[in-house]
Amino acid sequence: MPLDPARLVELRREAERRFSETLAKPVGVLQLTVFAMPCGCTGVSLEVRNVVREDVEVFGPRMKGIVDEVVREVLGEAPDVRYARTSPTGVDVVSIAGRLTCEGCRDEIPSAADLITF
Amino acid sequence: MFSVPSPGDPESTSELLRRLEDVLDHVDRVYLGLPQGGTGRATVRAVDEADVAEVAEVCDSHGVDVEVVINPLCTVHITCDKSAFRAFEATLGALDDAGVEHLVLSDPMTVETAAEMGFHVSVSCVAHVNEPGKAERFAELGASEVTVDTAVNRRLDVVSEIADVIDVRVIVNEGCLRYCPYRLFHLCEFSHASRGDVTVEDDPYFVRCISERLDDPAEIVRSPFVRPEDLDEYEGIGVSAFKIAGRANSVAWIERAVRAYIEGGYEGNLLDVLDCPTVLRHLVYLDNSALDGALREGWSSCRGDCERCGFCSELARRAVRFLGGLKDAVGSGETGGVEA
């Protein structure tokens, strides 16, 4: 079944609304990206603005549900890893992603310096 | 008269000028960045001197001048090494041979050399000329014009004082944060990234740029852009040169912005025609009509005491609306926070 483009647009909007409500501040989702990597990982990434490390550390458990629902709807199953990627200073969150990992990446992602898993 | 941005290559420039044919009597310059010297903006095309020669021909065929921008904030690779400076002079020679008469430069040493070679030099906004005394120094170095620091765009008194010293050009549609603490460092990043001498994997300043506006929409209103409707206020203080920012954008985007300013009005989301950051227009609606009178009523007398003043915060409540999922979260569509 091909992905419905209109539904993808709606998912981006829903993610924006739910992140904003969860963090109680305006959160922009600039882009929803479905990805596949050479190693075998697949997932969905959301490019966000106005999210900082502390938001993920405090609200990670609630953000998990949003990410899981997006990935499940797009890829048919929930991700086994969710993470936020930060800018080089480690303060600003640049993107939030859910990934169906390949065997090799499952253990590596939690130890990546620029990622906060939740 | 207006200075219009070109993405840099001859084909895009030709397409842009073809689209703008009916308003070209209001355009005197088409500018493009020459990234080999570094520029103050992201560049979408790897333009070289041969491209500039072609663009100059395209512009000439439409009756407008070409203006080449070499305005890095960091100029150590040009001015602090004899052979590098000789290479810069050779570049100016090649531009002269290509028929280029107008340059935008940031570094005072480069301004002096180019002026001595006979170029019309407009000092870049990257040099942050924001008072008459600094303008005077650049005039002494041979500059013909100053593109003023956008931070003083709305200070009509300051712009007027600078215009008494030297010809002034105002960048009208730059939407950067007012009092932006990241600006110099972002420009420095572009200096190196546009030359390609460093690999820039992340743009952390751009992330903050959007985030801070979403967090406080009044920052969108405080941004020192000039509305298309307000250009006559500047003409009244002796400014007749206006620069449209946006050379990293598409031809269609540039055409929309140029037309708005030449026509002196824009109905709808003003963010549609503001550069830096263009992506914001998909998240936020800035009602241009709600800004009527703001320049005279508040902005032109702004002294930056936002806490006490509250003018822009109040204006933002009327003029700024969230779009998409942000609107869904807020409920009413007005700004002012998200209920937990």
Side-chain angles (χ1 to χ4, degrees):
Chain A
M1 280 284 283
L3 290 171
D4 177 5
R7 181 56 190 151
L8 273 180
V9 170
E10 210 173 300
L11 276 175
R12 186 215 65 85
R13 181 175 179 144
E14 279 182 23
E16 195 168 70
R17 174 184 64 80
R18 294 182 65 187
F19 281 135
S20 296
E21 288 173 349
T22 300
L23 301 184
K25 63 178 181 179
V27 173
V29 176
L30 302 190
Q31 187 168 299
L32 183 159
T33 308
V34 183
F35 63 83
M37 302 179 76
C39 58
C41 287
T42 56
V44 176
S45 173
L46 301 153
E47 189 181 350
V48 294
R49 292 294 182 269
N50 204 24
V51 180
V52 294
R53 168 183 283 273
E54 196 180 7
D55 293 325
V56 180
E57 289 172 347
V58 174
F59 295 103
R62 290 173 65 181
M63 294 165 74
K64 176 176 176 287
I66 302 170
V67 174
D68 283 7
E69 281 184 41
V70 173
V71 176
R72 191 180 295 118
E73 178 148 353
V74 175
L75 295 174
E77 55 183 299
D80 50 279
V81 178
R82 304 116 194 124
Y83 56 88
R85 191 174 74 79
T86 60
S87 68
T89 65
V91 176
D92 300 286
V93 171
V94 176
S95 63
I96 292 169
R99 194 189 287 202
L100 301 169
T101 53
C102 68
E103 215 161 287
C105 290
R106 195 160 302 143
D107 297 329
E108 287 186 21
I109 288 178
S111 61
D114 63 339
L115 302 181
I116 312 164
T117 53
F118 57 91
Chain B
M1 292 295 274
F2 291 87
S3 305
V4 168
S6 160
D9 62 304
E11 295 77 19
S12 299
T13 308
S14 181
E15 169 69 11
L16 177 66
L17 294 180
R18 189 188 58 74
R19 288 177 179 227
L20 292 173
E21 196 67 60
D22 60 312
V23 292
L24 282 184
D25 52 335
H26 297 281
V27 176
D28 62 349
R29 283 174 262 177
V30 169
Y31 67 92
L32 72 160
L34 189 63
Q36 68 196 71
T39 84
R41 282 279 180 269
T43 50
V44 290
R45 303 287 182 125
V47 176
D48 60 19
E49 291 154 16
D51 294 317
V52 172
E54 278 190 61
V55 171
E57 277 182 31
V58 169
C59 290
D60 189 53
S61 71
H62 286 271
V64 294
D65 287 329
V66 68
E67 182 175 56
V68 173
V69 181
I70 307 174
N71 65 340
L73 180 68
C74 177
T75 53
V76 67
H77 57 278
I78 297 177
T79 56
C80 299
D81 177 280
K82 279 183 184 166
S83 59
F85 201 75
R86 297 286 171 275
F88 172 74
E89 289 177 311
T91 298
L92 295 189
L95 294 177
D96 188 32
D97 291 344
V100 174
E101 295 176 359
H102 295 266
L103 297 176
V104 176
L105 301 171
S106 51
D107 185 288
M109 308 283 190
T110 63
V111 169
E112 185 175 42
T113 297
E116 282 174 2
M117 291 175 74
F119 285 99
H120 175 281
V121 181
S122 184
V123 179
S124 167
C125 73
V126 169
H128 291 87
V129 176
N130 48 26
E131 54 189 347
K134 197 168 180 182
E136 183 77 54
R137 298 297 297 270
F138 275 101
E140 287 166 6
L141 289 167
S144 306
E145 178 186 78
V146 158
T147 308
V148 292
D149 178 359
T150 51
V152 297
N153 266 3
R154 291 173 175 176
R155 289 286 305 274
L156 296 177
D157 55 339
V158 175
V159 174
S160 174
E161 287 170 7
I162 297 173
D164 286 341
V165 172
I166 191 170
D167 286 349
V168 162
R169 180 165 61 172
V170 172
I171 299 177
V172 288
N173 65 328
E174 185 188 272
C176 288
L177 288 169
R178 182 163 164 79
Y179 305 124
C180 180
Y182 313 109
R183 182 175 173 85
L184 289 175
F185 306 94
H186 204 188
L187 289 169
C188 192
E189 175 196 315
F190 281 134
S191 295
H192 295 285
S194 60
R195 277 172 54 82
D197 59 355
V198 296
T199 302
V200 177
E201 291 179 359
D202 272 304
D203 189 347
Y205 308 114
F206 178 58
V207 174
R208 285 282 171 92
C209 178
I210 305 271
S211 296
E212 294 197 5
R213 284 168 231 250
L214 292 178
D215 212 40
D216 180 7
E219 292 294 350
I220 296 168
V221 173
R222 290 188 189 113
S223 158
F225 59 81
V226 177
R227 298 172 64 226
E229 293 80 357
D230 289 338
L231 297 190
D232 56 345
E233 294 277 2
Y234 290 82
E235 287 167 343
I237 57 169
V239 177
S240 57
F242 301 103
K243 181 173 181 176
I244 312 289
R247 59 183 146 108
N249 294 305
S250 68
V251 167
W253 187 97
I254 294 170
E255 182 191 7
R256 181 172 62 237
V258 170
R259 285 192 182 280
Y261 281 91
I262 286 179
E263 289 164 10
Y266 189 75
E267 287 182 23
N269 187 356
L270 190 61
L271 293 174
D272 287 344
V273 298
L274 299 188
D275 190 35
C276 300
T278 54
V279 71
L280 200 61
R281 70 191 174 104
H282 300 299
L283 304 176
V284 173
Y285 186 94
L286 177 58
D287 181 359
N288 188 30
S289 64
L291 304 177
D292 282 344
L295 180 63
R296 276 291 167 197
E297 289 163 22
W299 292 340
S300 62
S301 56
C302 173
R303 292 297 179 269
D305 190 1
C306 301
E307 287 278 313
R308 286 189 194 174
C309 170
F311 180 81
C312 291
S313 296
E314 175 53 34
L315 194 54
R317 273 189 277 278
R318 287 185 276 121
V320 179
R321 295 196 298 275
F322 285 135
L323 301 170
L326 294 167
K327 179 181 175 183
D328 298 342
V330 172
S332 65
E334 296 171 354
T335 61
V338 178
E339 286 185 21

